[in-house]
Every structure is written in structure tokens, then in C-alpha cells.
Amino acid sequence: MDVDSLTGAARRGEEWFVVLPDCDAALAVVAALDPDARCRRLRHPSGRPWLLGHWDPRDLVLGAAGRVVVALLGCCPVSAEEVVGIARRTRAPADLDRAAGRLHGAFHLLATVDGVVRAQGSAFGVRRLFQVRVGEVDVVSDRADVAAGLVGSGVDERWLVRCLMFPAAPPALVGASLWRGVTAVPEDCCVLLTDRGRARTVRWWEPPRPVRTLREGAPAVRDALTAAVSARVRSRDVVSADLSGGADSTAVCALAVARTGRLLTFTVASQDAGDDDAEWAAIAAAELPGLERLVLTDDDLPRPYADILEAGVPRDEPPVDVHLRAEDAVRARLLTGRGVELHLTGDGGDEVLHAAPSYLRELLPRRPLTAWSHVRGLRALRAWRWSRVWRLLAAPRDERRELLAQARGLTAPAARAPYAVGLPPWATPHAVDLARRLLVEAAERVPPTTPDKAVHDVVQLVRHAGRYVRRNVMAAVADGLPVAAPFLDDRVAEACLAVRAHERTTPWRYKPLLAEALRGVVPDRSSTRATKGGTTPEYAALPHYRADLLALTTRGRLAELGLIDVDRFRSALTGVWSTDATPIMVEHTVACERWLRDLDHAGRTAGLVRGAPG
């Protein structure tokens, strides 16, 4: 058991927990994990340890009634008395389904019910769980690296190759753990631990049916998003929020400024003439009285990859936005220096407010005129060729066929199919073979058909955003500035996805659901924006960080594993980046390389697997 790495995480201010079954066999795990009783602990009614770890005590709400204890760990705006009421109404773990589906916020729901433990995260990936067998018992943790540390296991290269995929690995792969012997719990499932130390997963969540009209759904979205923002700011004296000028960040700021004592907004004004974010951020700020502003330019912040040669804090997956690691740390120092206790973002807004393109295929037989209107509008808006439109409308409806098609087309251009994935040109044949095997094996596991493909696809897109935010949140906590993304709370996402796909997505209006939901809250002028800013600073900064990235290829861990060809990677770094694809592929590769080096620096890669069976 890698106890040193876990206690080291505690010293760095990171948060984690382990859930234990109510049996004597679990005491051995406790003795090895926390021999000096330094961790926070909660106990079963039997007196045995139940939860161990490190968390902010403000994030825990506890309620007990008889042999039932319910814990909400994270952000959930309920009182201890309300949680006691939940515990009193609970006779069996399944009784908690109702509470889990009604509570606002983003949290883990953990309960011990007459000797049986129930553990669950959130439905959209912000709060996750991982399961591992330790000796004679199954245990659960909120972090895969912590679970791996309990059994001394390392990273499995078969799963690491998925992190090199472009534009992203398919949903059937991205939810899995990268660690040998550690199983990711599906977001729509909870784990039940018996008093004999055995675990099983039970599905507790179903996606909402998209049956509401825009007018019917807007009030529910407004209520849910208001509750999500209020839950974050209610106990904080000073809160900050991104104000990019986009619809999502403006909405969060508009709700937060009315509900907190002091809101400090953070804007990066790009010097790129084609990026109008700063202009729209100024428009929003002028119409939201009471907020304070911190406006920086690109020159005020570290360049991309500024500290890429410095060891970082390893977590359970490669870091998010590795090229912005230094910038995020500077932002945290600037904001905490002004008394900020929490930072809000608009992350997830794009995913919950838009439908997946597959809605067109399902809309066509039901509302052909509307469908063709959307097809023509989206084709013009996104510059789609008619060949791409035909492929999209004729794409296979089941995930199994899509995965097999992706396996066949791994080395083909991504534009050849709507959902194609690829590997960077510097990936080795070994990496391609591993990726192809992962896709084929995933195809064998998924159901032969996927009903309601549009619903399935959008849920996966939202979960992708949720997992991204989860990793960002872990990094932010270590930087000293907790981060929250209200759009990805379960109740907010559910309210959005309950609206008909062709009404929340339309080529004729930008994010109509958000505009209707926050009419009178978001400034009217901000609601008229139809552009989306943002630039790729990697292009301009490349001469400044090329040498550091080249240095990172010396004795590289990915090359040692046979996953990348160093010469080809160096050629890409020294060549001309003609498309947006290259810097993103570089970012994925550098994130994996930096993560492996950080694990090695922390003494966590002794168990790295090459070509493990099965």
C-alpha cells in the first residue's frame, strides 16, 4: 500500500476520501492507510471506520437516525436537520434514490444503512467514484490514484493511449480508470458495499426525456441555475467569476452578483483583433452594477507551457490544459490575494445548452420540414459540405458500429466521418495497435443498439465536460482557489436536457434556452451576442516554448513505452502549425508526458505496466 503518496497528498492540501464496508476485515485497510490517525474519520453506527480522508469540513453535512447515517460531501445547500430527516426516512439504500434526484449542488452522497454502505457521485462526472479490491474487501474512493495507492498498482499503458486520441477518445473509453486493478464506477450508478466487504453497482439515474417546449423548460432552467449559483456563494464573503463576455460566464456573473457580498470578475483581454470577448465583457460589466473587475492582458500572464519542465502534482489522470498550468497558478494567487474564497466558471454551458448533432437524424422522420431547415442553417453556419451532411444523417445508430468504424479509421483523416477519432502522426504502430484493440474491445461490451441516440450522445458530451471540470477542480484546490461550474450540477443539466433538442439548439438563434431562462437577469444587450471569441495563443508563443518542449522529449516516458516516435514529434514541434489540430495534439501528448514524469518524481510509476494481458 502506497501510504507515503497519500499522506503526501494531504500535506499538499489535496482532498480525497476512502469508503469502507462495515466489517472487521476493513480494519486492516484502516491500519495500513492511517496508522497515525492523521486522516479525518467518520464511523459506522457499529463503531467501525466508515470514511477516511482529507476534506474541507465546511463541505460535509451529516445526519444520523438509528442505524442510518447519511453524509453529503461537497456542495449541497441543505442543513444538518434536513439530512437527519433524510436518514429517518431511509429504511434501505434504495430509499435514497429520491433524495439523490432532488438535492441541488455537486456532491457525493454517502450512507451507511444498517450495515450496508451506499456511495455515489454525480450523474455528469464532476464527482466520481472508483472501486478496488484490497485484501479481503472492496473499497471505494473518489480518486483513482488513491485507490491504486491502496494496492500499489501503476498506470496501464493500454488505457494511457486513449489520452493521445484526437479530438478526444470516444465516450466508451474516457470514463475508464487509467490504473491497473481500479474500476471506474459509471456515473449513473451507485456502489453498495455489504457487511461482508463485497461490492456491486446499481443504476440509480436515468436521463430526462426531452419533451418540454422552450417555454415550458426555461423556468426550470432558471430555478436550477439560480439554486446552483446560490449554493456556492451563500457562505462565502468574497467570490470571483470568469467574465469572458460569453453567454455562459455572463449568466453566472449576473446570478452571483445579486447573491454575494462581493463579486470580483476576471477577464483576459486578448490583443488579437479578431477576439471580441473583452468588448462583450465590458458591455456586461457596465450593465451589472456592484461587481468589481480584474482585467489582464496576455502579456500579464505566463506564456503557454511556461513551467512545463518543472515537476507538478500528479493526480489520477493527465492534467487539464497543461499549457495553462502556470497561468492558472498566477490567477489563483491574484484572486486569493484579494480575499477570494471561491471562483465560478461558465464551463459546461456549451454542452448542456446545445444538442448533439445526432438530433438531426432523429428529428428528420418526425418533423421533416424543421429538420431540413436546421440542416440547411447548420450547414451554412458551420461551413459543412453536403457530403458531411449525408454522412451525418446516414451514420450508424448504434455505438458498437461507430466504435468499430473508429477502430478501422484510426490513421485516416478525422474529416472522413462525423465521429472519427485519430492518433497524432507521431504515434507509433504499437500505439495504434493498442488503440485499435481498445476500440474493438469496447465495441464488444456496449449494447448492440443505442436507443435515443441523441439523448445518449448529449449525456456523454456533458459528462466529458464534467470530467474535465473535475480534474480542473482538483488542480485548483492544490493552487489554493476552489473552483465551481454551476452549469454541470445534476439538476441544472437535467433541466436543460429535458427541453426538446431542436428548441434548445437552432441555427437561427444563439443559446435560446439560456436567453429565455434568464430574461430580465442577464443584460438585454449581452443576450444579443452571436459571436464566440477565443484565440489559440500557442501559435504566437511557439518560439518561446519550443525549446522547453524539445527538452521534454529527452528520455521521454512515452517514447520509453513505445507510444510515440520522438523524431516525428520533434519535427512537429519545429515545423509550421498550419491547423488548430496540431497544437491540440501536442497538448495531449505533453500532458501525458508531464503526468508520467510527475508520477515518476513522486515515486508512483514503479507499477507501470507494459503489455499487460487482458
Side-chain angles (χ1 to χ4, degrees):
M1 186 175 298
D2 194 354
V3 177
D4 290 341
S5 66
L6 301 183
T7 56
R11 288 193 297 271
R12 292 189 295 267
E14 294 186 69
E15 299 181 356
W16 56 270
F17 65 80
V18 171
V19 184
L20 302 168
D22 190 6
C23 61
D24 289 337
L27 298 177
V29 180
V30 177
L33 176 61
D34 191 25
D36 300 321
R38 295 180 181 179
C39 296
R40 297 189 185 279
R41 295 191 183 198
L42 296 179
R43 296 184 179 276
H44 291 283
S46 67
R48 299 184 184 96
W50 170 34
L51 300 181
L52 276 77
H54 291 268
W55 56 79
D56 187 332
R58 295 177 298 179
D59 292 339
L60 177 68
V61 185
L62 200 64
R67 289 183 54 79
V68 176
V69 184
V70 176
L72 302 176
L73 188 52
C75 173
C76 187
V78 296
S79 65
E81 291 74 16
E82 291 174 287
V83 182
V84 169
I86 293 172
R88 285 174 178 162
R89 294 189 294 272
T90 300
R91 298 291 180 268
D95 295 341
L96 291 165
D97 285 359
R98 179 178 174 83
R102 293 169 62 94
L103 295 171
H104 289 270
F107 53 89
H108 285 93
L109 189 155
L110 311 166
T112 174
V113 183
D114 198 20
V116 178
V117 173
R118 172 173 170 148
Q120 71 183 62
S122 57
F124 293 100
V126 177
R127 294 269 172 168
R128 299 198 67 196
L129 289 174
F130 301 88
Q131 178 185 324
V132 68
R133 183 77 175 172
V134 184
E136 300 178 10
V137 296
D138 293 320
V139 301
V140 174
S141 177
D142 66 327
R143 287 178 46 166
D145 58 335
V146 170
L150 295 173
V151 292
S153 68
V155 177
D156 190 331
E157 66 164 355
R158 299 170 307 163
W159 286 101
L160 180 62
V161 75
R162 76 145 195 254
C163 298
L164 297 175
M165 291 182 180
F166 176 83
L173 300 183
V174 294
S177 162
L178 298 180
W179 297 82
R180 178 164 42 94
V182 177
T183 302
V185 178
E187 284 91 344
D188 53 7
C189 291
C190 63
V191 180
L192 300 182
L193 296 173
T194 70
D195 56 6
R196 295 186 178 182
R198 296 292 182 179
R200 64 186 180 97
T201 57
V202 177
R203 189 169 185 176
W204 72 274
W205 183 85
E206 295 281 349
R209 301 298 309 148
V211 295
R212 292 177 179 168
T213 65
L214 187 69
R215 178 172 294 183
E216 292 169 344
V221 172
R222 177 176 179 144
D223 291 346
L225 189 58
T226 300
V229 173
S230 299
R232 283 5 187 263
V233 305
R234 65 191 182 116
S235 60
R236 313 283 182 172
D237 293 328
V238 186
V239 176
S240 63
D242 288 334
L243 181 57
S244 68
D248 308 331
S249 68
T250 302
V252 171
C253 289
L255 291 170
V257 72
R259 290 167 176 79
T260 186
R262 181 181 168 206
L263 179 69
L264 176 65
T265 62
F266 183 83
T267 303
V268 178
S270 173
Q271 296 171 338
D272 185 338
D275 185 351
D276 60 351
D277 273 353
E279 176 185 345
W280 283 99
I283 290 171
E287 299 190 41
L288 292 173
L291 58 77
E292 302 174 37
R293 298 197 69 195
L294 176 60
V295 182
L296 305 179
T297 69
D298 292 333
D299 289 340
D300 297 321
L301 297 167
R303 291 189 176 94
Y305 297 108
D307 65 349
I308 199 61
L309 296 182
E310 298 179 15
V313 178
R315 297 176 184 89
D316 57 7
E317 292 190 46
V320 175
D321 293 339
V322 66
H323 62 297
L324 300 179
R325 188 171 65 172
E327 178 181 320
D328 290 341
V330 168
R331 181 187 66 176
R333 288 197 296 271
L334 288 172
L335 294 175
T336 55
R338 289 164 170 77
V340 172
E341 301 172 82
L342 176 72
H343 186 74
L344 302 176
T345 79
D347 290 339
D350 286 343
E351 289 77 9
V352 302
L353 294 167
H354 288 303
S358 50
Y359 88 92
L360 294 169
R361 189 169 62 246
E362 298 189 358
L363 183 64
L364 189 60
R366 300 198 307 267
R367 295 172 177 259
L369 294 179
T370 301
W372 279 112
S373 173
H374 279 225
V375 166
R376 289 192 297 269
L378 289 171
R379 177 177 176 267
L381 185 65
R382 301 181 183 180
W384 285 347
R385 294 184 178 183
W386 275 114
S387 58
R388 178 175 174 82
V389 172
W390 298 130
R391 285 195 300 268
L392 178 63
L393 294 178
R397 292 181 56 85
D398 64 276
E399 191 175 4
R400 176 176 295 178
R401 290 178 60 190
E402 287 177 4
L403 289 165
L404 293 174
Q406 289 166 343
R408 291 191 299 270
L410 262 178
T411 56
R416 293 183 62 178
Y419 299 105
V421 297
L423 289 170
W426 49 85
T428 62
H430 175 58
V432 173
D433 180 62
L434 288 176
R436 185 167 287 125
R437 286 167 52 193
L438 280 179
L439 291 166
V440 172
E441 291 170 3
E444 294 171 351
R445 292 192 299 268
V446 300
T449 59
T450 306
D452 301 320
K453 188 69 164 56
V455 173
H456 173 82
D457 286 350
V458 76
V459 167
Q460 297 300 339
L461 286 172
V462 178
R463 284 180 180 157
H464 180 77
R467 294 163 187 150
Y468 170 93
V469 165
R470 171 184 175 268
R471 287 176 284 165
N472 222 1
V473 166
M474 287 194 289
V477 168
D479 285 339
L481 180 64
V483 169
F487 276 105
L488 290 168
D489 283 8
D490 286 357
R491 302 294 86 78
V492 177
E494 287 170 348
C496 293
L497 301 191
V499 175
R500 295 171 180 172
H502 66 280
E503 294 194 40
R504 70 174 184 269
T505 294
T506 169
W508 319 118
R509 188 180 177 193
Y510 187 65
K511 295 185 178 177
L513 178 56
L514 186 63
E516 290 298 322
L518 295 188
R519 187 181 299 277
V521 177
V522 171
D524 290 340
R525 191 176 175 190
S526 294
S527 299
T528 66
R529 184 181 183 185
T531 61
K532 187 173 179 65
T535 59
T536 307
E538 293 92 330
Y539 289 101
L542 176 59
H544 300 281
Y545 63 76
R546 177 184 281 129
D548 285 348
L549 293 187
L550 288 171
L552 200 66
T553 65
T554 303
R555 299 182 64 182
R557 299 291 280 120
L558 288 171
E560 290 176 4
L561 290 171
L563 299 182
I564 69 168
D565 183 308
V566 173
D567 291 336
R568 290 184 183 177
F569 187 44
R570 288 180 174 177
S571 295
L573 293 177
T574 55
V576 177
W577 292 356
S578 57
T579 71
D580 288 341
T582 301
I584 297 175
M585 288 189 286
V586 167
E587 181 184 329
H588 290 183
T589 302
V590 173
C592 292
E593 179 65 33
R594 183 68 267 171
W595 184 59
L596 290 174
R597 288 174 180 245
D598 291 342
L599 288 171
D600 192 43
H601 185 263
R604 291 296 309 277
T605 52
L608 191 70
V609 179
R610 275 191 63 91

mmCIF file of all heavy atoms in Angstrom, residues 124-127 461-471 488:
data_model
loop_
_atom_site.group_PDB
_atom_site.id
_atom_site.type_symbol
_atom_site.label_atom_id
_atom_site.label_comp_id
_atom_site.label_asym_id
_atom_site.label_seq_id
_atom_site.Cartn_x
_atom_site.Cartn_y
_atom_site.Cartn_z
ATOM 1 N N PHE A 124 -23.088 13.569 -13.875
ATOM 2 C CA PHE A 124 -22.428 14.131 -15.044
ATOM 3 C C PHE A 124 -20.912 14.275 -14.884
ATOM 4 O O PHE A 124 -20.292 15.065 -15.594
ATOM 5 C CB PHE A 124 -23.065 15.468 -15.409
ATOM 6 C CG PHE A 124 -24.488 15.317 -15.899
ATOM 7 C CD1 PHE A 124 -25.553 15.562 -15.054
ATOM 8 C CD2 PHE A 124 -24.756 14.896 -17.189
ATOM 9 C CE1 PHE A 124 -26.863 15.407 -15.491
ATOM 10 C CE2 PHE A 124 -26.059 14.732 -17.639
ATOM 11 C CZ PHE A 124 -27.116 14.994 -16.789
ATOM 12 N N GLY A 125 -20.315 13.522 -13.962
ATOM 13 C CA GLY A 125 -18.871 13.387 -13.955
ATOM 14 C C GLY A 125 -18.069 14.334 -13.100
ATOM 15 O O GLY A 125 -16.854 14.168 -12.976
ATOM 16 N N VAL A 126 -18.695 15.333 -12.492
ATOM 17 C CA VAL A 126 -17.934 16.257 -11.654
ATOM 18 C C VAL A 126 -17.481 15.578 -10.367
ATOM 19 O O VAL A 126 -16.393 15.855 -9.849
ATOM 20 C CB VAL A 126 -18.776 17.512 -11.335
ATOM 21 C CG1 VAL A 126 -18.023 18.455 -10.411
ATOM 22 C CG2 VAL A 126 -19.137 18.239 -12.631
ATOM 23 N N ARG A 127 -18.310 14.697 -9.862
ATOM 24 C CA ARG A 127 -17.974 13.910 -8.667
ATOM 25 C C ARG A 127 -17.978 12.443 -9.063
ATOM 26 O O ARG A 127 -19.020 11.900 -9.442
ATOM 27 C CB ARG A 127 -18.999 14.170 -7.559
ATOM 28 C CG ARG A 127 -18.979 15.595 -7.027
ATOM 29 C CD ARG A 127 -18.039 15.689 -5.857
ATOM 30 N NE ARG A 127 -17.829 17.060 -5.422
ATOM 31 C CZ ARG A 127 -17.232 17.375 -4.272
ATOM 32 N NH1 ARG A 127 -16.819 16.420 -3.468
ATOM 33 N NH2 ARG A 127 -17.044 18.631 -3.944
ATOM 34 N N LEU A 461 -21.540 13.939 -23.945
ATOM 35 C CA LEU A 461 -20.843 15.214 -24.117
ATOM 36 C C LEU A 461 -20.797 15.991 -22.804
ATOM 37 O O LEU A 461 -19.774 16.596 -22.459
ATOM 38 C CB LEU A 461 -21.546 16.052 -25.192
ATOM 39 C CG LEU A 461 -21.353 15.605 -26.639
ATOM 40 C CD1 LEU A 461 -22.274 16.403 -27.562
ATOM 41 C CD2 LEU A 461 -19.898 15.774 -27.070
ATOM 42 N N VAL A 462 -21.908 15.997 -22.075
ATOM 43 C CA VAL A 462 -21.935 16.708 -20.795
ATOM 44 C C VAL A 462 -20.992 16.030 -19.802
ATOM 45 O O VAL A 462 -20.281 16.701 -19.046
ATOM 46 C CB VAL A 462 -23.371 16.788 -20.237
ATOM 47 C CG1 VAL A 462 -23.380 17.482 -18.877
ATOM 48 C CG2 VAL A 462 -24.276 17.551 -21.206
ATOM 49 N N ARG A 463 -20.964 14.708 -19.803
ATOM 50 C CA ARG A 463 -20.042 14.007 -18.894
ATOM 51 C C ARG A 463 -18.583 14.289 -19.244
ATOM 52 O O ARG A 463 -17.727 14.364 -18.352
ATOM 53 C CB ARG A 463 -20.325 12.504 -18.920
ATOM 54 C CG ARG A 463 -21.566 12.135 -18.132
ATOM 55 C CD ARG A 463 -21.841 10.657 -18.148
ATOM 56 N NE ARG A 463 -23.040 10.373 -17.368
ATOM 57 C CZ ARG A 463 -23.793 9.307 -17.502
ATOM 58 N NH1 ARG A 463 -23.475 8.382 -18.417
ATOM 59 N NH2 ARG A 463 -24.864 9.123 -16.753
ATOM 60 N N HIS A 464 -18.302 14.422 -20.526
ATOM 61 C CA HIS A 464 -16.939 14.776 -20.914
ATOM 62 C C HIS A 464 -16.559 16.121 -20.290
ATOM 63 O O HIS A 464 -15.450 16.278 -19.754
ATOM 64 C CB HIS A 464 -16.840 14.844 -22.439
ATOM 65 C CG HIS A 464 -15.479 15.196 -22.947
ATOM 66 N ND1 HIS A 464 -14.446 14.293 -22.976
ATOM 67 C CD2 HIS A 464 -14.971 16.361 -23.431
ATOM 68 C CE1 HIS A 464 -13.358 14.874 -23.464
ATOM 69 N NE2 HIS A 464 -13.656 16.133 -23.747
ATOM 70 N N ALA A 465 -17.472 17.078 -20.335
ATOM 71 C CA ALA A 465 -17.220 18.374 -19.710
ATOM 72 C C ALA A 465 -17.094 18.233 -18.196
ATOM 73 O O ALA A 465 -16.250 18.875 -17.557
ATOM 74 C CB ALA A 465 -18.345 19.350 -20.058
ATOM 75 N N GLY A 466 -17.932 17.371 -17.599
ATOM 76 C CA GLY A 466 -17.876 17.167 -16.154
ATOM 77 C C GLY A 466 -16.554 16.585 -15.699
ATOM 78 O O GLY A 466 -15.987 17.001 -14.677
ATOM 79 N N ARG A 467 -16.037 15.620 -16.452
ATOM 80 C CA ARG A 467 -14.739 15.030 -16.086
ATOM 81 C C ARG A 467 -13.618 16.046 -16.233
ATOM 82 O O ARG A 467 -12.665 16.062 -15.452
ATOM 83 C CB ARG A 467 -14.482 13.796 -16.945
ATOM 84 C CG ARG A 467 -15.457 12.648 -16.670
ATOM 85 C CD ARG A 467 -15.442 11.646 -17.793
ATOM 86 N NE ARG A 467 -16.475 10.625 -17.627
ATOM 87 C CZ ARG A 467 -17.062 10.001 -18.637
ATOM 88 N NH1 ARG A 467 -16.706 10.283 -19.893
ATOM 89 N NH2 ARG A 467 -17.986 9.092 -18.414
ATOM 90 N N TYR A 468 -13.728 16.876 -17.265
ATOM 91 C CA TYR A 468 -12.753 17.954 -17.455
ATOM 92 C C TYR A 468 -12.756 18.879 -16.234
ATOM 93 O O TYR A 468 -11.701 19.221 -15.684
ATOM 94 C CB TYR A 468 -13.102 18.716 -18.725
ATOM 95 C CG TYR A 468 -12.347 20.006 -18.942
ATOM 96 C CD1 TYR A 468 -11.176 20.044 -19.686
ATOM 97 C CD2 TYR A 468 -12.819 21.211 -18.409
ATOM 98 C CE1 TYR A 468 -10.490 21.225 -19.892
ATOM 99 C CE2 TYR A 468 -12.143 22.400 -18.607
ATOM 100 C CZ TYR A 468 -10.976 22.402 -19.351
ATOM 101 O OH TYR A 468 -10.299 23.579 -19.541
ATOM 102 N N VAL A 469 -13.944 19.298 -15.816
ATOM 103 C CA VAL A 469 -14.050 20.201 -14.673
ATOM 104 C C VAL A 469 -13.561 19.520 -13.402
ATOM 105 O O VAL A 469 -12.903 20.143 -12.561
ATOM 106 C CB VAL A 469 -15.503 20.695 -14.525
ATOM 107 C CG1 VAL A 469 -15.732 21.323 -13.150
ATOM 108 C CG2 VAL A 469 -15.823 21.692 -15.627
ATOM 109 N N ARG A 470 -13.850 18.234 -13.258
ATOM 110 C CA ARG A 470 -13.375 17.510 -12.072
ATOM 111 C C ARG A 470 -11.865 17.612 -11.928
ATOM 112 O O ARG A 470 -11.328 17.900 -10.852
ATOM 113 C CB ARG A 470 -13.802 16.046 -12.161
ATOM 114 C CG ARG A 470 -13.180 15.147 -11.096
ATOM 115 C CD ARG A 470 -13.555 13.697 -11.298
ATOM 116 N NE ARG A 470 -12.863 12.849 -10.348
ATOM 117 C CZ ARG A 470 -11.682 12.267 -10.575
ATOM 118 N NH1 ARG A 470 -11.069 12.444 -11.750
ATOM 119 N NH2 ARG A 470 -11.120 11.522 -9.653
ATOM 120 N N ARG A 471 -11.148 17.371 -13.032
ATOM 121 C CA ARG A 471 -9.685 17.459 -12.970
ATOM 122 C C ARG A 471 -9.234 18.896 -12.715
ATOM 123 O O ARG A 471 -8.259 19.142 -11.999
ATOM 124 C CB ARG A 471 -9.085 16.925 -14.265
ATOM 125 C CG ARG A 471 -9.166 15.404 -14.382
ATOM 126 C CD ARG A 471 -8.643 14.922 -15.711
ATOM 127 N NE ARG A 471 -9.613 15.178 -16.777
ATOM 128 C CZ ARG A 471 -9.326 15.128 -18.071
ATOM 129 N NH1 ARG A 471 -8.096 14.856 -18.466
ATOM 130 N NH2 ARG A 471 -10.257 15.356 -18.971
ATOM 131 N N LEU A 488 -22.858 22.443 -14.562
ATOM 132 C CA LEU A 488 -22.701 20.992 -14.566
ATOM 133 C C LEU A 488 -23.294 20.316 -13.342
ATOM 134 O O LEU A 488 -23.132 19.114 -13.163
ATOM 135 C CB LEU A 488 -21.223 20.634 -14.717
ATOM 136 C CG LEU A 488 -20.659 20.954 -16.107
ATOM 137 C CD1 LEU A 488 -19.141 20.856 -16.107
ATOM 138 C CD2 LEU A 488 -21.256 20.040 -17.158
#
